């Protein structure tokens, strides 16, 4: 009985010790912000700027300082409202807890600062003038321990405390203008001067940051490793041997030469050339900190203060998150490798398998459209064991159609494990739909049985056939020999084709008649779709330059309307204050014109968020990711969106499939006076309207665009780009906005019988 | 009444055929009043001020970038006769004014600049159209001499000339909207009447007739206008 009780206690304890890792065993849910929106998110940039500039009245370089504050306020908001910044989530909460411990000796300073996690794969941390410190997920994924995180935060705190960003801006302006000692420097020298100043600041941040760190209860024992994190920031979070078996099945086996036996070792050399770098070389920084650390007493100090479990849990979250971010950034090979490494630890994790499935589908699509180079990284540039993966894709690209075949085989395999997953089903349907496209692979391509033993190395058969060429009868004349060569080469090619490994990709699954039926259905649907697309293209070419749509929709959701005011005549071309005002006005006009067009609408607007709008903020974050992922694809690639089920949930919530991205660029070019017209206008009244028109409109442009995405079909239903040769006036916007709303609302004409 | 009915039928037919014409926020018809400043036609008339031409327009966007504009214009002006320094006159001095009166009805097509991104009925445009013009002139002349007594008495005589013409017009301009529904329209046009026939009254003399012809030729030949209107439906 005591033994059972002990066992039970052990189970309970183990459960308590590693409840966090259990979260990753089966699946992973991307993290979201929670709670109320911080004030930073709900205050307009112009208001922030107005309050910040009050403090620069009596300081030197007032103009530069004001310009900096303007740029900084708007730049910060651009980051905050991009949806990439997290708050009140477990990761940011942890980050703040570390900051609390780091700065517990200086409460006043702690209260001035805000710490955020930002969704980014880069290994970085940065601070703004306003006291916001951002740590990327990429950095968190790479760190070894909590003390290293605290050390990086201490470094960033110094940047804020010493107002490094504003001083850097002012100094940069001086250098650029060639003021004082910078007079008559050429551009190369100016760049070096700027870098030198930045390096001085970084060194100061390292030194003073170390002081802050030493005052904290964090131990210095393992902190020096942070410089290894920086040095190897270009590498994934681990170096794991990649085995192509992950994509194989009972009959699908890659040829031997698809596996890279020896990978390029990771370079351990220190790069000490930092002349044109904003940061000192890692070697120098490490040396300096090592000296400072030497002899420090670590008694009573710890590497983990918030907790090792929390650190590891959040680091694991970051690693899952960057797998997702790689997919969103179209870095599919990195996404697969990252997911592959995590799969070694969590072999049953659906999220990772879905990531791999989607990435394979995307690579297959790019390869199918002969755009593979857009998303592929040359394996020769890759260091470490991950090189084997990049090499495999390089080899898969050598036979057109193989990548999509591998994608299909992998997805079918995973689907057998998760038949009800909607995202996997969508990816599966998509890959099926591209199988008959371009490099046509009908169901007949796949062998139902093992025709040739797979391990018999089909390529070698071909090679043997080619080798027989050497035994050509010497009595043959020149042309007979050449004909023989051609014949045998063709036979060899046929042998390779007949025994090509990809024929066996679906062999284990073709016994399931439903797969065959789905495949054939996809082929027929593709043919129909191609016919319609061809017809549309022909009619477009022959009829109209601008397409007029009639979508027949009743409701749309506007997603974060954009407005940019640019003035080429001014030194600061991007007019930030006017842009913000214009954005608010444009958003209101969109809604008004939709109403006039009797089109029901809702809006998710980053500049109109209230503290309670956390749901909208998360939706905005997701939709920003959705649209950037969509628009970054090459023209011919029309892959479905990543995380389809999530976007469909949104469509259901809003009661429409139509999400609208719209924006305005208001641009003023440099003035070019037409003196001939001026003279004509003065002396000949008939030219007066021309002259007035010329001077009113000269160099004024309004660029208006609208994209309507049908998130259900993943298609662009309407894309409208217009350039109006007029300054951006309300009536010009109203005229164009209403037209687009009308096109969304108008019912399509019934086809002529 | 017939005209109104005709307009309704015309606009209705155009509307039926073009379901995708957005107009301005769904409003395709602009009713506006214009005041044009045009060439009066008289060379060297005292204080040669340009003539004022009020116009009533009804503009209807019949296509995305084209609208049809039936209109009516009116012009009247008078000026002192250059023969009013006479010894004797049997016509009261205040009535010794030459005058010109014009009625013009026409129909323009406004082509909104598609290439520049405008949609009817707002933005920059050019116009082409045709019109019917009726003009009448009264010119006082002194040719009618009474020589029965000495010194001779010059009697003023009213010379009246009329024309009925068809012409063509072309111009440029722009319309913009203020306060959601109000339109401001400004531009200029050139009106050409290729042929006109003078139906002169009695008492014509070469010099007078030539003056009348010259006036007819130059009347309203160019015009700069400013209009104010509203988006009706």
């Amino acid at each position: 009985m005591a033994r059972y009780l002990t066992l039970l206690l052990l189970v309970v304890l183990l459960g308590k010790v590693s409840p966090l890792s259990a979260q990753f065993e089966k699946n992973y849910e991307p993290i979201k912000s929670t709670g109320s929106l911080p004030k930073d998110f709900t205050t307009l940039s112009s208001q922030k700027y107005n309050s910040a500039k009050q403090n620069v009245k009596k300081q030197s370089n007032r103009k530069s300082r004001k310009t900096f504050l303007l740029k900084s306020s708007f730049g910060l908001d651009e980051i905050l409202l991009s949806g990439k910044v997290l708050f009140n989530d477990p990761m940011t909460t942890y980050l703040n807890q570390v900051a609390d411990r780091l700065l517990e000796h200086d409460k006043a300073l702690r209260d001035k600062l805000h710490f955020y996690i930002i969704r980014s794969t880069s290994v970085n941390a940065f601070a703004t003038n306003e006291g916001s410190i951002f740590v990327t997920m990429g950095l968190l994924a790479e760190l070894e321990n909590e003390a290293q995180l605290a050390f990086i935060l201490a470094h960033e705190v110094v940047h804020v405390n010493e107002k490094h960003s504003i001083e850097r801006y002012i100094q940069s302006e001086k250098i650029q203008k060639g003021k004082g000692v910078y007079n008559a420097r050429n551009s190369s020298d100016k760049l070096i001067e700027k870098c030198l100043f930045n390096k001085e600041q970084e060194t100061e941040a390292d030194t003073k940051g170390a002081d802050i760190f030493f005052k904290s209860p964090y131990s210095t024992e393992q902190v020096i490793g942070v410089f290894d994190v920086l040095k190897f920031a270009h590498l994934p979070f681990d170096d794991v041997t990649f085995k192509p078996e992950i994509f194989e099945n009972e009959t699908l086996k890659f040829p031997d030469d698809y596996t890279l036996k020896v990978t390029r070792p990771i370079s351990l050399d220190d790069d000490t050339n930092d002349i044109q770098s904003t940061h000192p070389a890692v070697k120098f920084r490490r040396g300096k900190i090592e000296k400072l650390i030497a002899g420090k007493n670590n008694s009573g100090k710890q590497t983990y203060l918030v907790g090792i479990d929390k650190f590891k849990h959040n680091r694991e979250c970051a690693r899952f998150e960057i797998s997702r971010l790689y997919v969103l950034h179209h870095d599919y090979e990195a996404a697969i490798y990252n997911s592959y490494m995590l799969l070694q630890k969590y072999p049953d994790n659906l999220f990772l398998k879905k990531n791999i499935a989607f990435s394979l589908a995307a690579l297959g699509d790019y390869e199918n459209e002969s755009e593979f180079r857009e998303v592929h990284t040359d394996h020769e540039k890759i260091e470490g064991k991950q090189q084997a993966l990049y090499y495999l894709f390089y080899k898969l690209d050598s036979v057109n159609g193989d990548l999509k075949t591998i994608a299909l085989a992998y997805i079918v395999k995973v689907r057998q494990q998760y038949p009800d997953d909607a995202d996997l089903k969508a990816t599966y349907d998509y890959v099926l739909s591209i199988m008959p496209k371009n490099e046509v692979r009908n169901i007949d391509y796949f062998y139902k049985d093992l025709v040739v033993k797979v391990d018999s190395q089909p390529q070698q058969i071909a090679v043997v056939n080619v080798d027989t060429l050497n035994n050509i009868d010497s009595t043959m004349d020149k042309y007979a020999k050449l004909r023989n060569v051609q014949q045998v080469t063709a036979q060899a090619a046929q042998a390779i084709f007949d025994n090509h490994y990809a024929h066996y990709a679906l062999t284990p699954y073709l016994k399931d008649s439903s797969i065959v039926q789905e495949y054939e259905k996809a082929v027929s649907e593709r043919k129909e779709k191609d016919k319609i697309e061809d017809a549309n293209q022909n009619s477009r070419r022959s009829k109209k330059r601008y397409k007029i749509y009639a979508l027949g929709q009743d409701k749309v959701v506007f997603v974060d309307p954009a407005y940019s005011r640019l003035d080429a005549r001014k030194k600061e071309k991007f007019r930030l204050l006017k842009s913000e005002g214009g954005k608010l006005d444009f958003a209101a006009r969109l809604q008004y014109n939709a109403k006039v067009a009797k089109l029901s609408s809702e809006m998710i607007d980053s500049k109109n968020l209230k503290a309670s709008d956390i749901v909208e903020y998360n939706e905005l974050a997701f939709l920003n990711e959705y649209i950037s992922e969509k628009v970054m694809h090459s023209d011919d690639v029309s892959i479905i969106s990543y995380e389809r089920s999530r976007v469909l949930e949104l469509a259901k919530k809003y009661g429409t499939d139509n999400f609208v991205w719209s924006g305005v660029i208001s641009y003023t070019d440099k003035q070019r006076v037409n003196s001939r017209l001026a003279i004509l206008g003065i002396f000949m009244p008939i030219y007066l309207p021309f002259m007035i028109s010329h001077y009113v409109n000269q160099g004024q442009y309004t660029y208006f665009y609208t994209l309507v995405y049908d998130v259900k079909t993943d298609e662009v239903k309407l894309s409208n780009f217009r350039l109006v040769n007029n300054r951006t006036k309300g009536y010009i916007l109203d005229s164009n906005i209403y037209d687009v709303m009308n096109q969304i609302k108008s019912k399509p004409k019934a086809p002529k019988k | 009444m017939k005209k109104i009915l005709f307009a309704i039928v015309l606009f209705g037919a155009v509307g039926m055929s073009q379901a995708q014409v957005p107009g301005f926020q769904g409003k395709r018809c602009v009713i506006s009043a214009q005041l044009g400043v045009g060439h009066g036609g008289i060379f060297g008339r005292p204080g040669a001020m340009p003539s004022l031409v009020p116009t009533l327009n009804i503009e209807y966007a019949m296509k995305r970038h084209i609208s049809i504009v039936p209109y009516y214009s009116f012009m009247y002006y008078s000026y002192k006769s250059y023969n009013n320094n006479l010894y004797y006159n049997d016509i009261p001095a205040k009535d010794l004014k030459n005058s010109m009166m014009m009625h013009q009805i026409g129909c323009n097509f406004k082509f909104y600049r598609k290439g520049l991104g405008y949609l009817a009925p707002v933005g920059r445009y050019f116009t082409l159209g045709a019109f019917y013009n009726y003009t009448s002139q009264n010119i006082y002349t002194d040719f009618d001499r009474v020589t029965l007594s000495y010194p001779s008495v010059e009697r003023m005589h009213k010379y009246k000339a009329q024309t009925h013409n068809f012409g063509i017009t072309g111009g440029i301009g722009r319309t913009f909207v203020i306060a959601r529904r109000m339109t401001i329209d400004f531009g200029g046009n050139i009106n050409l009447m290729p042929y006109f026939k003078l139906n002169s009254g009695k008492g014509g003399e070469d010099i007078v007739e030539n003056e009348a012809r010259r006036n007819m030729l130059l009347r309203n030949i160019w015009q700069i206008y400013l209009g104010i209107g509203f988006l009706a439906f």
Side-chain angles (χ1 to χ4, degrees):
Chain A
M1 187 63 189
R3 192 180 293 171
Y4 285 119
L5 279 173
T6 316
L7 262 173
L8 191 66
L9 194 66
L10 200 67
V11 168
V12 170
L13 277 175
L14 279 174
K16 281 201 168 184
V17 167
S18 56
L20 304 172
S21 65
Q23 187 189 325
F24 306 114
E25 291 295 339
K26 298 289 176 197
N27 206 348
Y28 175 77
E29 189 66 31
I31 51 174
K32 293 176 188 171
S33 302
T34 58
S36 297
L37 283 167
K39 204 181 167 194
D40 275 352
F41 289 68
T42 54
T43 311
L44 288 176
S45 314
S46 49
Q47 290 171 353
K48 286 180 192 169
Y49 165 65
N50 286 334
S51 66
K53 75 175 180 184
Q54 302 297 322
N55 303 324
V56 293
K57 277 179 183 168
K58 288 174 185 172
Q59 288 175 308
S60 58
N61 299 308
R62 260 172 48 198
K63 201 176 171 188
S64 291
R65 280 176 196 279
K66 276 187 180 178
T67 312
F68 171 80
L69 288 175
L70 182 69
K71 285 182 178 178
S72 174
S73 303
F74 279 83
L76 174 65
D77 277 4
E78 203 177 320
I79 299 169
L80 292 177
L81 299 175
S82 65
K84 288 180 179 172
V85 177
L86 291 164
F87 53 85
N88 297 333
D89 64 294
M91 226 186 271
T92 315
T93 306
Y94 171 70
L95 182 73
N96 277 278
Q97 285 169 340
V98 174
D100 291 343
R101 298 307 305 267
L102 175 74
L103 297 171
E104 62 188 15
H105 62 278
D106 191 345
K107 296 271 184 214
L109 178 61
R110 173 64 187 95
D111 291 343
K112 280 199 292 185
L113 303 170
H114 307 279
F115 294 86
Y116 298 108
I117 291 286
I118 184 164
R119 287 189 179 103
S120 167
T121 56
S122 69
V123 179
N124 199 8
F126 58 95
T128 67
N129 188 62
E130 291 75 8
S132 298
I133 292 172
F134 299 92
V135 173
T136 64
M137 285 179 169
L139 175 65
L140 196 57
E142 300 260 351
L143 288 173
E144 290 177 297
N145 55 58
E146 191 179 306
Q148 289 178 355
L149 177 61
F151 184 83
I152 287 169
L153 294 185
H155 174 99
E156 297 304 326
V157 167
V158 177
H159 280 315
V160 178
N161 218 17
E162 300 295 324
K163 303 213 171 294
H164 277 169
S165 45
I166 193 163
E167 295 307 327
R168 187 178 302 181
Y169 179 82
I170 291 165
Q171 192 69 13
S172 173
E173 288 276 289
K174 277 185 191 170
I175 295 170
Q176 200 57 41
K177 286 176 185 168
K179 280 186 180 173
V181 292
Y182 306 112
N183 189 18
R185 301 272 170 102
N186 62 32
S187 58
S188 170
D189 285 347
K190 281 178 180 173
L191 178 67
I192 291 169
E193 289 290 351
K194 281 181 197 172
C195 291
L196 202 63
F197 187 78
N198 291 351
K199 277 196 278 278
E200 281 170 18
Q201 285 191 333
E202 291 302 329
T203 308
E204 186 185 12
D206 275 349
T207 318
K208 290 188 175 172
D211 285 342
I212 294 175
F213 185 81
F214 297 149
K215 284 179 194 165
S216 77
Y218 278 104
S219 163
T220 57
E221 271 173 12
Q222 296 179 46
V223 83
I224 205 70
V226 76
F227 292 102
D228 287 331
V229 172
L230 299 179
K231 182 179 169 184
F232 299 112
H234 60 289
L235 294 171
F237 66 81
D238 203 350
D239 192 34
V240 173
T241 304
F242 175 76
K243 291 179 182 161
E245 286 91 67
I246 186 172
F247 304 134
E248 294 181 339
N249 56 42
E250 297 94 305
T251 54
L252 169 68
K253 306 284 176 197
F254 295 116
D256 272 356
D257 64 335
Y258 277 40
T259 310
L260 198 61
K261 301 289 182 301
V262 182
T263 54
R264 186 178 160 197
I266 294 166
S267 168
L268 301 176
D269 296 339
D270 279 312
D271 183 8
T272 53
N273 182 7
D274 59 4
I275 291 174
Q276 294 201 347
S277 168
T278 55
H279 287 63
V282 172
K283 190 182 175 184
F284 303 143
R285 293 176 75 183
R286 185 206 302 268
K288 214 160 240 173
I289 298 300
E290 270 173 344
K291 277 182 196 165
L292 291 172
I293 286 175
K296 289 285 171 196
N297 183 8
N298 275 321
S299 65
K301 297 196 172 187
Q302 293 173 33
T303 300
Y304 294 97
L305 288 169
V306 181
I308 187 165
D309 283 346
K310 279 194 176 177
F311 171 77
K312 287 192 172 171
H313 171 77
N314 285 300
R315 185 176 67 178
E316 212 71 331
C317 273
R319 289 174 176 179
F320 273 85
E321 287 288 332
I322 60 171
S323 287
R324 178 176 171 272
L325 292 176
Y326 279 132
V327 180
L328 290 169
H329 299 166
H330 299 185
D331 196 350
Y332 300 116
E333 288 159 331
I336 292 173
Y337 188 68
N338 210 72
S339 302
Y340 177 82
M341 288 191 294
L342 288 166
L343 263 182
Q344 305 306 303
K345 207 169 169 185
Y346 311 106
D348 293 327
N349 188 290
L350 172 62
F351 171 84
L352 298 171
K353 289 177 183 173
K354 275 167 37 175
N355 263 1
I356 295 177
F358 187 87
S359 300
L360 281 173
L363 288 169
D365 199 2
Y366 271 85
E367 189 251 5
N368 200 41
E369 301 292 345
S370 307
E371 303 262 5
F372 184 64
R373 298 281 144 188
E374 295 280 317
V375 286
H376 172 65
T377 309
D378 186 359
H379 68 278
E380 287 177 4
K381 293 177 185 165
I382 301 291
E383 286 180 356
K385 290 171 183 163
Q386 57 170 332
Q387 196 187 20
L389 177 133
Y390 289 84
Y391 180 75
L392 175 69
F393 285 115
Y394 159 73
K395 293 296 285 183
L396 287 173
D397 179 44
S398 60
V399 180
N400 200 8
D402 276 9
L403 251 167
K404 63 182 176 183
T405 304
I406 300 306
L408 183 61
Y410 179 80
I411 296 163
V412 171
K413 186 166 76 175
V414 177
R415 279 203 75 215
Q416 288 192 326
Q417 210 180 339
Y418 307 98
D420 301 326
D421 187 82
D423 287 332
L424 273 176
K425 171 79 170 73
T427 314
Y428 169 70
D429 287 343
Y430 183 72
V431 178
L432 274 185
S433 78
I434 59 168
M435 293 306 285
K437 205 177 162 194
N438 295 346
E439 169 52 43
V440 178
R441 291 209 167 165
N442 291 325
I443 192 75
D444 305 337
Y445 177 85
F446 300 101
Y447 295 162
K448 285 185 178 169
D449 297 300
L450 282 173
V451 178
V452 180
K453 219 177 164 189
V454 178
D455 58 4
S456 66
Q457 301 295 331
Q459 274 72 7
Q460 282 184 18
I461 297 168
V463 173
V464 171
N465 286 338
V466 177
D467 285 347
T468 57
L469 296 172
N470 296 327
N471 301 325
I472 291 169
D473 187 355
S474 58
T475 58
M476 284 180 179
D477 67 0
K478 175 185 166 187
Y479 299 103
K481 279 179 192 166
L482 287 174
R483 271 181 224 115
N484 200 7
V485 169
Q486 281 174 3
Q487 197 181 346
V488 176
T489 312
Q491 281 172 4
Q494 188 60 40
I496 290 171
F497 178 78
D498 289 344
N499 296 290
H500 189 57
Y501 71 92
H503 287 295
Y504 305 101
L506 297 182
T507 306
Y509 317 115
L510 290 181
K511 289 175 186 70
D512 182 351
S513 60
S514 65
I515 291 179
V516 179
Q517 283 167 8
E518 282 165 352
Y519 202 111
E520 283 169 346
K521 191 181 161 203
V523 172
S524 61
E525 281 175 358
R526 165 59 59 187
K527 281 179 183 166
E528 282 298 309
K529 205 173 173 184
D530 286 349
K531 264 188 206 170
I532 294 166
E533 277 177 12
D534 287 347
N536 284 346
Q537 272 184 354
N538 291 337
S539 65
R540 250 176 254 159
R541 252 181 245 134
S542 60
K543 282 183 183 170
K544 282 182 180 173
R545 197 170 141 207
Y546 301 107
K547 192 175 176 191
I548 309 299
Y549 297 85
L551 303 185
Q553 301 299 317
D554 294 322
K555 188 176 180 186
V556 292
V557 178
F558 296 112
V559 185
D560 206 16
Y563 188 99
S564 303
R565 173 84 183 103
L566 297 164
D567 193 338
R569 300 168 304 178
K570 304 275 169 66
K571 189 189 158 205
E572 298 295 338
K573 293 179 176 42
F574 197 70
R575 313 305 292 169
L576 294 164
L577 289 167
K578 284 187 178 174
S579 294
E580 186 173 77
K583 182 177 158 65
L584 297 171
D585 174 68
F586 177 56
R589 284 183 193 280
L590 275 176
Q591 284 190 304
Y592 177 78
N593 281 286
K595 194 178 159 192
V596 175
K598 293 179 180 137
L599 181 67
S600 174
S601 71
E602 289 194 54
M603 181 168 286
I604 309 172
D605 184 6
S606 65
K607 289 282 177 188
N608 203 13
L609 291 170
K610 296 186 286 293
S612 57
D613 289 343
I614 185 65
V615 176
E616 285 76 10
Y617 178 80
N618 282 322
E619 286 169 357
L620 188 67
F622 172 69
L623 287 167
N624 282 345
E625 286 172 345
Y626 171 86
I627 193 68
S628 60
E629 197 246 333
K630 295 291 286 177
V631 298
M632 278 197 305
H633 282 301
S634 300
D635 286 348
D636 295 331
V637 175
S638 54
I639 190 163
I640 55 162
S641 57
Y642 180 58
E643 299 177 325
R644 256 185 82 66
S645 54
R646 207 168 155 192
V647 78
L648 291 178
E649 270 173 34
L650 270 185
K652 196 175 169 188
K653 181 192 160 184
Y654 283 101
T656 177
D657 302 332
N658 306 295
F659 285 72
V660 181
W661 279 266
S662 188
V664 171
I665 299 167
S666 171
Y667 178 68
T668 305
D669 205 351
K670 285 178 181 166
Q671 293 282 334
R672 287 181 198 89
V673 176
N674 187 341
S675 51
R676 202 179 303 168
L677 203 59
I679 294 164
L680 278 172
I682 291 163
F683 292 104
M684 296 181 73
I686 189 64
Y687 283 102
L688 210 58
F690 287 103
M691 193 190 82
I692 294 167
S693 175
H694 171 76
Y695 284 104
V696 168
N697 298 302
Q698 194 212 16
Q700 306 275 356
Y701 303 99
T702 302
Y703 187 70
F704 170 65
Y705 66 87
T706 310
L707 284 172
V708 179
Y709 266 90
D710 183 337
V711 295
K712 206 167 195 172
T713 60
D714 250 316
E715 285 172 355
V716 180
K717 269 190 176 170
L718 179 149
S719 72
N720 192 298
F721 298 86
R722 294 177 183 184
L723 180 68
V724 186
N725 281 34
N726 203 92
R727 69 176 61 202
T728 310
K729 289 283 179 190
Y731 75 95
I732 296 287
L733 287 180
D734 283 338
S735 171
N736 283 287
I737 295 169
Y738 177 82
D739 180 33
V740 174
M741 298 303 126
N742 189 43
Q743 290 184 32
I744 296 171
K745 177 73 183 175
S746 296
K747 298 241 178 310
K749 282 179 191 169
K752 286 174 190 171
K753 287 179 184 173
Chain B
M1 189 63 193
K2 277 181 186 174
K3 279 181 188 173
I4 293 167
L5 279 173
F6 173 73
I8 289 169
V9 171
L10 176 71
F11 294 166
V14 169
M16 295 271 281
S17 65
Q18 294 290 328
Q20 277 283 9
V21 180
F24 180 83
Q25 295 186 324
K27 308 277 183 231
R28 293 165 65 175
C29 181
V30 181
I31 298 171
S32 68
Q34 281 177 3
L35 189 62
V37 178
H39 199 291
I42 307 299
F43 282 122
R45 65 190 164 89
M49 289 294 288
S51 61
L52 296 177
V53 188
T55 301
L56 181 70
N57 281 327
I58 300 175
E59 177 177 356
Y60 190 80
M62 55 186 280
K63 288 201 158 205
R64 290 174 60 79
H65 303 279
I66 303 171
S67 59
I68 186 168
V69 192
Y71 68 93
Y72 165 74
S73 285
F74 171 76
M75 178 176 80
Y76 174 81
Y77 68 81
S78 61
Y79 61 100
K80 281 185 181 176
S81 168
Y82 53 80
N83 292 317
N84 64 355
N85 54 350
L86 302 172
Y87 317 109
Y88 171 76
N89 205 331
D90 58 355
I91 299 172
K94 65 181 172 59
D95 292 336
L96 274 176
K97 282 183 176 175
N98 294 350
S99 66
M100 178 183 273
M101 188 173 68
M102 180 190 90
H103 299 277
Q104 184 168 305
I105 58 165
C107 186
N108 284 348
F109 288 94
K110 277 188 179 178
F111 298 91
Y112 285 86
R113 308 282 296 276
K114 186 179 175 181
L116 301 184
Y118 298 102
L119 290 161
V122 294
R124 288 158 73 179
Y125 60 81
F126 64 91
T127 58
L128 282 175
F131 58 84
Y132 160 76
N133 182 296
Y134 164 76
T135 309
S136 69
Q137 289 185 76
N138 289 326
I139 299 174
Y140 286 95
T141 178
D142 60 349
F143 77 95
D144 195 13
R145 288 167 186 272
V146 179
T147 52
L148 296 175
S149 59
Y150 181 83
S152 64
V153 175
E154 293 176 339
R155 286 177 185 276
M156 298 304 293
H157 182 81
K158 191 163 90 175
Y159 170 78
K160 187 170 183 179
Q162 294 174 310
T163 59
H164 298 269
N165 291 130
F166 284 96
I168 55 169
T169 179
I172 60 157
R174 90 160 28 215
T175 308
F176 53 93
V177 180
I178 53 169
R180 294 224 184 274
R181 286 288 185 91
M182 255 176 82
T183 63
I184 302 287
D185 189 5
F186 71 88
N189 56 37
I190 293 173
N191 302 298
L192 296 173
M193 283 165 272
Y195 170 76
F196 62 90
K197 187 183 170 190
L198 265 183
N199 296 319
S200 56
K202 59 181 180 177
E205 195 181 57
D206 284 352
I207 188 168
V208 179
E209 198 168 315
N210 283 343
E211 183 186 334
R213 280 185 188 282
R214 214 164 50 217
N215 289 345
M216 292 295 187
L217 184 70
L218 294 171
R219 74 190 185 282
N220 201 29
I221 191 164
W222 58 261
Q223 191 189 122
I224 296 167
Y225 56 82
L226 180 72
I228 186 163
F230 67 98
L231 287 149
F233 57 86

